Amino acid sequence: MIAQLSGRELVSRLAGPGLAFKTGPFSFRVHSNVQHISDGLQLLYGAYPLVADDTFCDFDLEVLKPAGLRGHVRPQVRFRFDGANTFEPLPLAHAFPLLEWAMNWCISTHVNHYLLIHAAVVERGGRAAILPAPPGSGKSTLCAALVHRGWRLLSDEVALVPFDGLGLQALARPISLKNESIEILSRFVPGATFNKPAYNTSKGTVTHMLAPPAHVARVLETAKPAWVVFPRWQAGAAAALTPREKSDTVVDLAKNSFNYGVLGQQGFDTMCSLVEASACHDFVYSQLDDAIAVFDALASGRA
């Protein structure tokens, strides 16, 4: 496990052969000379298994501070994938969010042996709730609250739907939170572990919340799809579930998919099977305690 490495060993691997580790079905090898990266990995990725240096990894990433003047005057950080520059450079203080965004980008643009849906996924009793929603809807806030109130984290960012429909695959990576959600979750989960916030990013203030280690340990356990719930935070709103048509759900999930169009007929068939197996709802909420009560009722069949 990454936690078994000393701080010096972790920095040495990042600067040398790369730190190779697994999260769910994917392996990453990360190269970096940035302290924000080593600190963030040590804090948030301790429970993730290491991969041997000579093992093939799915994705090879570099998050590097340039040498020379640019490393000292308004220092920046660059992301390289398979040796090629991929994104525009960002301020050095945004290095760890850049790594997380880069890992998400690797999966969303290169993985086509799953149907990929931009959604949080949580599980209870072997059944999964898929929470697709656009940015600003409260998806990650709700996901973080649920996983600290009896639901298991599969993913904060992407639903991995296999073509055989046997079960959703977990990633269980740190949960991304931004702006007001950071303070809300700090109060809702006292003692929770957060990385150092990055300010003035393209998404505002961003941090990442530790995925519960017990959930990471169960990352290879799949879960059957049971619910598709489109959440939306609304100030002052009472928590309420509203049934939605399955045909509309297929259309809206397709809009939230990274590779639905690439997969063609297989993507359509997989999406239809997923929706057919799930109860579909819209959900509006303002208070996390009320939202948790609704999801608990959903899991127990009382909703």
Side-chain angles (χ1 to χ4, degrees):
M1 300 297 177
I2 290 178
Q4 295 172 291
L5 298 176
S6 69
R8 180 173 295 183
E9 288 173 320
L10 192 150
V11 169
S12 177
R13 290 202 185 196
L14 286 169
L19 181 73
F21 61 94
K22 285 188 69 70
T23 171
F26 308 119
S27 56
F28 290 85
R29 178 171 285 108
V30 178
H31 308 261
S32 185
N33 58 358
V34 180
Q35 185 173 348
H36 294 299
I37 298 294
S38 56
D39 290 347
L41 289 170
Q42 191 166 42
L43 181 67
L44 299 179
Y45 278 85
Y48 296 75
L50 292 164
V51 175
D53 289 343
D54 60 353
T55 299
F56 170 82
C57 286
D58 297 299
F59 305 109
D60 196 289
L61 316 181
E62 299 172 72
V63 182
L64 300 172
K65 180 174 64 173
L69 187 62
R70 178 49 78 185
H72 300 281
V73 180
R74 299 181 64 186
Q76 295 182 328
V77 63
R78 288 184 175 274
F79 163 57
R80 291 167 60 87
F81 174 67
D82 282 348
N85 290 324
T86 307
F87 300 157
E88 290 297 315
L90 293 180
L92 181 62
H94 299 174
F96 193 80
L98 174 60
L99 173 63
E100 289 288 334
W101 297 334
M103 292 170 71
N104 293 337
W105 175 84
C106 286
I107 294 170
S108 64
T109 58
H110 294 85
V111 172
N112 287 311
H113 55 291
Y114 294 96
L115 173 64
L116 306 179
I117 300 171
H118 184 202
V121 189
V122 294
E123 172 267 337
R124 191 160 180 173
R127 297 181 296 167
I130 299 172
L131 312 176
S137 62
K139 165 183 66 69
S140 294
T141 307
L142 179 59
C143 173
L146 286 167
V147 303
H148 287 89
R149 293 295 189 273
W151 292 74
R152 176 170 68 102
L153 174 67
L154 272 70
S155 178
D156 165 52
E157 183 66 24
V158 59
L160 301 175
V161 186
F163 300 146
D164 59 18
L166 294 180
L168 302 176
Q169 175 63 57
L171 285 173
R173 282 179 37 218
I175 299 172
S176 176
L177 297 170
K178 59 182 180 292
N179 302 320
E180 293 84 358
S181 294
I182 300 170
E183 178 61 28
I184 290 170
L185 265 298
S186 297
R187 296 195 304 266
F188 193 76
V189 189
T193 299
F194 298 88
N195 197 26
K196 183 178 179 180
Y199 300 98
N200 300 316
T201 77
S202 60
K203 300 182 179 183
T205 299
V206 173
T207 190
H208 287 81
M209 186 180 192
L210 177 74
H215 299 196
V216 178
R218 297 175 58 191
V219 74
L220 297 182
E221 294 182 25
T222 60
K224 294 181 179 180
W227 308 279
V228 176
V229 181
F230 287 78
R232 179 171 57 89
W233 183 88
Q234 180 179 317
L241 276 174
T242 305
R244 60 165 23 235
E245 293 292 337
K246 295 202 172 197
S247 56
D248 293 339
T249 300
V250 170
V251 172
D252 289 335
L253 284 179
K255 294 176 182 177
N256 279 273
S257 173
F258 294 109
N259 63 347
Y260 176 79
V262 173
L263 296 176
Q265 184 69 44
Q266 193 165 42
F268 176 77
D269 292 342
T270 303
M271 188 74 80
C272 289
S273 296
L274 172 71
V275 172
E276 185 61 32
S278 305
C280 303
H281 302 273
D282 289 310
F283 178 58
V284 63
Y285 77 99
S286 61
Q287 299 298 318
L288 287 176
D289 285 324
D290 296 339
I292 299 299
V294 170
F295 271 76
D296 289 348
L298 196 67
S300 66
R302 293 181 287 108

